[in-house]
Amino acid sequence: MRRSTIATGLVLAGLAGLIFFEASRLTFGSIRVPRTGFFPSILAILLLFFSIALLVQTRRQPDSESREEPIKSDAWIRISATLATMLGFALVLETLGFLLSTFIVMLLLLRAIEPQKWSRVIALALVIALVSYFLFAWLLNVPLPAGILEI
Amino acid sequence: MDLLANVALGFSVALTPANLMFCFLGSVVGTLVGVLPGLGPVGAVAFLLSLTFKMEPASAVIMLAGIYYGAMYGGSTTSILVNIPGETASVVTSLDGYRMARQGRAGAALGISAFGSFIAGTLGVIGLMCLAPLLGRAALSFGPPEYFALTVTGLTLVSYLSRGSMTKALIMTTLGLLAGTVGMDPISGEERFAYGILTLRDGLGLVPVAMGLFGIAEVLENLTTVGQHAIYETKIKGLLPNLKDWKNSLWPIARGSCLGFFLGILPGPGPVIASFVSYAVEKRVSRYPEKFGTGVIEGVAGPEAANNAATAGSFIPLLSLGIPTSAIMALFMGALMIHGIQPGPLFIVKYPELFWGFIASMYVGNAMLLVLNLPLIGIWVRLLKTPYIILFPLILLFCLIGVYSLNANVTEIIIMLIFGVLGFLFRQVGFEGAPFILAMVLGPIMETSLRQSLLISRGNFSIFFTRPICAVLMVLTAAFLVSPLVTAKRKR
């Protein structure tokens, strides 16, 4: 816990510096007439201050907090696979259309979260895709991309 | 007489068939969210926000409010029956509620929590009805310095009350304020931090960020512990508490309602804090404090009343000052603003049918939940057994569709995913998402009022300390910031 907190503090301090630099390229104005860059610059300084405070606090504290067990590697794989699948959905949604993308994304998500029989996964994904299409496109009237299936 | 006419107006809005349906829908979805541990009320409200765009503003608010207080009901059901609090406000309920269930008194615990919630919810609504217009009238005299001071105090208090380290909460607050500066400058309209990305020109969207931080991040976190949930079954006999139960619970419910209502008004996760404080109070005033934690009905009745009264109280600052005090209230503000309605001192005067309709719907919703919850408890428990391998992909899919349906914009899906990853990583190192989302919404209000104040005072910061309301708020802020340092020193 302690090491990751220190790492976070350092990253945040760096981020504060970056934001301050970016904010300094906007017009600051003056205290009398504050302009666009005024508020973000103040916030960047605050962020730097709080990050340093976090680092100081963490250094002072003895590492007594009993850390729960670290995340196992298979959990990391599950999480990455889930995220990759969702990113894929965003990328193909408008070309493949809602129905096809939903079917594929459910197929992969169901497998990513727990390995199970393909026949079951295909059936489930199909049902979920059709039901959600009915729910969103028909009942709720949400405009959804038609894509190559043109429905 | 004015009040009666207003209440009548409210019921005429709340009792239209469409609004009754939305109220029902909200309560059911809320109970569902409260029951299922995978998704909290913030994530659910964020998700449904995208579906409310095409609704009437009144229906939208009625449905979203239903989710909020429905989740409080639902959360207690699973706390008591299976010791899994569906959301944080019912963690305390499981202490004595689950013990009661193990002793075969699940019915009494569920019954008292439903009735207690109903009584407290109703009392809370009455309080809201009386207090919000008063505060709204007072707030009409507020200028930019007061608004700036209010946002500063609110955000500091939220950080002060946060569960983990205050420094971490303050960092999240600052990051949230920074996220709020993306897009157009609220005064001059100049572009900031958009880097040529079209979607960012209008600022980071509330819905994609909230769904990422609360929906996606929550599911990702659950994925790290997949397969570790064990559920015990309890039999439920007789849902009605007996006369002795009632006698023991009456005062805890009354105390819990008052405590909850006033704690709900303060910034921060009102219902959560209210339930903890109420438990502590009941334990202190009890003649047998040592029995708390072994299945005492007071330990269920008080906190359950408190968290429901707090939901009503937490609407007050938003509806009368236009300042949200928690992540959920920030989303409500978003829902109103999408319809072009600015919550604030003029809200009640300008939109009486919306305000009173909303109030009336909360009475109706509380009654619905009472009817809904008691007979349907069996169904809710069965739902809890929905395998996570179906539940999690479904939640993720709904997040994807929900965000896309907002503006048919793929970039917003990507923003949601980025904040999902960030939210997950932040949770791993003990940073909470709630201060971030609240700060992001308050950011523009804070910046505008700060810059306007400085324009008025010609760059003199004393404007924040010489006006009486500002001075009080600033002293409070300083106290919240300094007190953790003092207690830390004393410990050493």
Side-chain angles (χ1 to χ4, degrees), chain A residues 1 4-5 8 12 15 19 22-23 25-27 30-40 42-44 46-47 50-51 53-54 57 60 65 67 69 71-72 75-76 78-79 82-83 85-91 93-94 98 102 105-106 109-110 113-114 116 120 124 128-129 132 135-136 140-145, chain B residues 47 51 54 148 165 167-168 170-171 174-175 177-178 181 185 188 190-193 195 216 219-221 223-226 228 387-390 392-394 396-398 400-402 404-405 408-410 413-414 416-417 420-421 424-426 428-431 443-444 446-447 450-451 454-455 458-461 481 485 492:
Chain A
M1 192 71 175
S4 53
T5 309
T8 318
L12 287 169
L15 181 70
I19 295 172
E22 286 293 300
R25 303 199 310 188
L26 302 164
T27 41
S30 64
I31 303 274
R32 276 181 162 218
V33 188
R35 300 279 298 273
T36 312
F38 177 73
F39 193 56
I42 295 180
L43 291 177
L46 264 182
L47 183 61
F50 290 139
S51 319
L54 182 71
Q57 274 175 7
R60 272 197 199 156
E65 285 172 85
R67 170 86 176 100
E69 49 196 294
I71 298 171
K72 293 192 190 104
W76 280 117
R78 245 190 329 254
I79 288 168
T82 307
L83 283 168
T85 309
M86 287 195 289
L87 185 64
F89 179 83
L91 298 177
L93 177 65
E94 286 184 340
F98 175 79
T102 306
V105 83
M106 285 313 289
L109 277 182
L110 286 164
I113 288 174
E114 191 168 282
Q116 42 191 321
R120 189 180 132 92
L124 261 174
I128 291 173
S132 56
L135 184 72
F136 289 100
L140 297 168
N141 241 334
V142 174
L144 296 167
Chain B
F47 164 60
L51 299 179
K54 294 185 195 85
F148 176 71
S165 124
T167 317
K168 287 180 179 175
L170 285 170
I171 289 175
T174 318
L175 287 173
L177 288 172
L178 278 164
T181 64
D185 175 334
S188 70
E190 282 167 81
E191 200 180 290
R192 289 186 293 200
F193 307 124
Y195 302 108
I216 307 274
V219 175
L220 292 182
E221 195 174 35
L223 284 181
T224 60
T225 54
V226 147
Q228 288 173 18
Y388 60 86
I389 48 169
I390 297 178
F392 292 163
L394 269 183
L396 294 176
L397 177 69
F398 282 175
L400 289 169
I401 302 174
Y404 180 79
S405 67
N409 184 347
V410 172
I413 299 186
I414 294 171
M416 173 182 79
L417 291 177
V421 175
F424 170 71
L425 293 177
F426 272 126
Q428 296 304 311
V429 280
F431 288 72
M446 194 174 184
E447 176 175 10
L450 171 64
R451 282 164 64 183
L454 289 176
L455 281 172
R458 297 173 188 241
N460 192 343
F461 277 94
L481 284 173
L485 295 176
R492 229 177 295 147

Side-chain angles (χ1 to χ4, degrees), chain B residues 429-441:
Chain B
V429 280
F431 288 72
E432 289 176 66
F436 183 95
I437 206 85
L438 184 60
M440 191 176 118
V441 173

Side-chain angles (χ1 to χ4, degrees), chain B residues 333-383:
Chain B
M333 182 156 155
L336 287 170
M337 305 235 302
I338 284 161
H339 289 282
I341 295 165
Q342 179 74 46
L346 290 173
F347 173 75
I348 301 168
V349 186
K350 261 167 100 180
Y351 306 99
E353 69 296 333
L354 193 55
F355 176 75
W356 296 103
F358 167 68
I359 299 266
S361 88
M362 285 172 73
Y363 285 112
V364 178
N366 273 307
M368 259 183 201
L369 281 166
L370 191 60
V371 178
L372 190 75
N373 245 21
L374 289 181
L376 294 185
I377 281 170
I379 296 184
W380 298 128
V381 174
R382 214 165 306 145
L383 262 176

